[in-house]
Amino acid sequence: MSRPVILEVALNGATPRSVNPHVPRTPAEVTAATLEAIDGGAAIVHHHTDDTMFTETGVHDVAPYVEAWTPVVERHPDALLYPTMAAGARGIAVEDRWAHVEELARRGLGGLTLVDPGSVNVGLTEDGEVPDAAAPGPYQNSYADLAHMFARTAALGASPSISIFEPGFLRTTLAWHRAGRVAPGAIVKLYFGGDLAFGLPPTRTGLDAYLELLEPSGLPWSVAVLGGDVVASGLAAYALERGGHLRVGLEDHAGDRTPSNAELLAEAVALVESVGDHPASLTEARTLLGIGGARTAG
């Protein structure tokens, strides 16, 4: 029987057009790319705005998200969308740097929040280069920050997209899940380092290590390669074999070619269909995650 596979597209991240001319950056471009991704088989879409990732204040404007998402949810009320938050959050109150995430959830937009359950040095590439903005210190999320993000996610009736950059992120998530502190409807995103030198490499052994920890929880999970190609690496095929879901997109992709988000998604769809599975519809994705239908703003 064909299994529904949740496909996510991470539209842009910090990838500039100088690296790939297909990267959507304006709210109107994000809207168009999101609608194209949903039409192409994606059930989850993630994107960044042009607010600085490594910032002294940690504040991100909610307005560009509202502008980009409103036409999407008008056409697809059950679309699953989530934002980013500032990476240079050294000593910044979580209430400030997560405020736009909370406001989007309060308005009933997107259905998902972003929860990063740990701290990590990120930005180093395999050739030893570190961006100036990433050098001063790690991306920080304390246990108190995590408690705030999970509690507010649940209170607002949203569900968490949980980013796993390092094994410790997953152990924290699972400890809190066993304690009943993870908001319902969660999906765990296993991020593997490609050209970005963090976490585990995109290998079968790396995924097996994560799944040894994860599988007793029953939490749904997906894989992505940051600074690489999740399909070309073979990790996507192995993840499907193990019952997982997939994330693609220009935020993550690195390599010699300059594909569009639609092309990367089409490659993932082709892989899913080649093993007899099918891309999950918006309704199927919500059912798989245990998320109810979209709610109105409150």
Side-chain angles (χ1 to χ4, degrees):
M1 185 175 179
S2 179
R3 179 177 74 95
V5 175
I6 298 172
L7 299 179
E8 175 181 338
V9 179
L11 295 176
N12 51 24
T15 305
R17 284 198 171 120
S18 60
V19 171
N20 189 314
H22 301 295
V23 177
R25 297 248 55 108
T26 69
E29 291 168 349
V30 168
T31 298
T34 301
L35 291 171
E36 182 179 35
I38 293 171
D39 289 344
I44 300 175
V45 177
H46 166 65
H47 75 94
H48 295 205
T49 65
D50 284 337
D51 282 328
T52 303
M53 287 299 297
F54 291 91
T55 171
E56 293 182 359
T57 68
V59 174
H60 278 189
D61 188 0
V62 73
Y65 289 107
V66 174
E67 183 179 349
W69 291 7
T70 298
V72 174
V73 298
E74 286 175 349
R75 187 179 303 183
H76 299 289
D78 282 343
L80 292 170
L81 314 170
Y82 71 100
T84 190
M85 63 179 173
R90 299 142 192 156
I92 302 170
V94 68
E95 291 84 359
D96 293 332
R97 57 193 175 87
W98 208 73
H100 64 294
V101 183
E102 172 147 355
E103 179 60 17
L104 290 165
R106 189 193 67 77
R107 298 187 187 201
L109 288 174
L112 296 175
T113 66
L114 173 68
V115 176
D116 289 357
S119 303
V120 63
N121 282 315
V122 64
L124 175 70
T125 60
E126 288 288 356
D127 61 8
E129 295 296 322
V130 181
D132 290 342
Y139 172 38
Q140 295 179 351
N141 293 288
S142 68
Y143 291 130
D145 295 343
L146 180 58
H148 176 86
M149 290 185 277
F150 274 139
R152 295 305 300 151
T153 295
L156 290 162
S159 296
S161 170
I162 304 173
S163 310
I164 305 299
F165 286 88
E166 301 277 0
F169 281 36
L170 183 56
R171 295 193 71 178
T172 296
T173 298
L174 294 174
W176 284 46
H177 182 255
R178 289 191 296 270
R181 300 182 70 180
V182 173
I187 181 169
V188 171
K189 313 291 183 63
L190 303 175
Y191 294 158
F192 294 81
D195 186 53
L196 289 176
F198 72 89
L200 298 181
T203 63
R204 295 169 72 95
T205 302
L207 180 54
D208 286 343
Y210 273 135
L211 295 186
E212 181 179 340
L213 294 170
L214 179 63
E215 285 184 332
S217 73
L219 287 167
W221 54 274
S222 67
V223 297
V225 177
L226 307 192
D229 187 324
V230 69
V231 173
S233 70
L235 182 66
Y238 187 51
L240 294 177
E241 182 181 328
R242 295 296 306 268
H245 306 281
L246 308 178
R247 165 170 143 156
V248 298
L250 295 183
E251 174 173 350
D252 304 345
H253 184 269
D256 295 333
R257 61 195 183 110
T258 55
S260 66
N261 281 305
E263 289 169 336
L264 293 173
L265 177 59
E267 291 167 5
V269 169
L271 176 63
V272 167
E273 292 178 342
S274 75
V275 299
D277 295 334
H278 68 273
S281 67
L282 299 178
T283 300
E284 286 177 317
R286 283 179 173 264
T287 299
L288 286 168
L289 300 178
I291 301 174
R295 65 176 181 84
T296 58

